[in-house]
Amino acid sequence: MKNNCTPEATSALFKKHFGHTPTHVVAAPGRLEVLGNHTDYNHGLVMSVAVDRYIFIASSPRPDGRVELISSAFPAPEKFSVSDLKSNPAARWADYVKGVLAQLRRRGVLFGGFNAAIHSTLPLGAGLSSSAALEVATALAIRRLHPFTLTETGTAQPPQANPRGELPPVTPVERMHYARLCRAAENEFVGVPCGILDQVSSLCGRAWNVTSLDCQALTVDYAPLPGVVLVVCPSGVNHALIGGEYKELRDHCESAARKLGAKFLRTVELKQLQAARTALTDREFACAHHVVTEIARVVAAERALRADDLAQFGQYLFQSHESSRDFLKNSTAELDQLVELARQHPACLGARLTGGGFGGATLNLVVHHEAEVFMTHMATGYEKQTGRKLQPDLCQIVDGAR
Ligand code: GLA
């Protein structure tokens, strides 16, 4: 899973298929949710990082209003007209691109046809959010081809390129508009009712730092993560948010909030929730309990991180996993095994499932110089317990998409 796919490899893929060099190559990173499971769509708090696994898009404009997409992950190209953005059941992967194009059009961004080659170092379905990275890369590719400035309500005067033809960087405020646009693409075109965490992480991450996102105010803050590394352990059981479980959790949270007279669980206190126990179904109570305590954990964890107390910070990760497992119930036997194995190793400060759940991967916070031995411990232990091969992966924290 290491970076054998680079911008150069993406250009080469483009050239092989289209017969000429692309005019632009963009990259958008995947993300790891560090703490704050299923808090985003409840307008809560969440911590994440952008990681050094990317979706690359190489592109060139074409004059006939048509789009041709190729992907190194899928055999057949997908061809369509910019004025006819429909899902093709035989090429669902292209929905993320089409969804973003549809949102751009809705906001008045004018763009023509283009050819694009998509290449990825992000494992599909492992919980690193390849879908958000593809959405973000698509929006940035269109910005290169047909420059535009996004605003709260639509678009403004396009940015001017410098004499070398380079556009100014996307501003932090505009990045949040991009995140909303990409989330809307996923909600409306792809049909996944996700929150905004993945898109913000891919756009707003900062190298060496944890990003704290307030999903109500839509603001981000950063805190360095020194002396530790992040190790991802894919359980080998892939998740699919399109499956009904994610939506079911969201529905429970939303109906719990309604019954508590709140717009979102963000504003509910644990005492208030406990007092209203009998007004809620068991699942509503359990999901709300997770969300309310998880938001409190993010607040406490941020304090620990700023005080350089990584041991305490890690404890919140373990607690988060227990809450996801016992209350939200989005863990699996494999994820639980991975967390328990990690807990046995002294170099592991914290571990938890990361992302939507129901499969995917665990995130492990590991003392820097012990990463190697920790990864061997995990691979050997997991294979012994489950018969499954495990390839733990060390991720670097990187800047958001450029
Ligand atoms: C997925 C979704 C996010 C978020 C997480 C759980 O990654 O895409 O919006 O809800 O699950 O925290």
Side-chain angles (χ1 to χ4, degrees), residues 31 33 36-41 46 129 186 192 194-199 239 241 246 355-357:
R31 66 95 188 89
E33 175 195 285
N37 198 221
H38 286 253
T39 53
D40 62 349
Y41 55 80
V46 51
S129 201
E186 186 146 350
V192 173
C194 63
I196 202 164
L197 161 71
D198 307 343
Q199 293 79 7
H239 78 154
L241 289 188
Y246 183 90

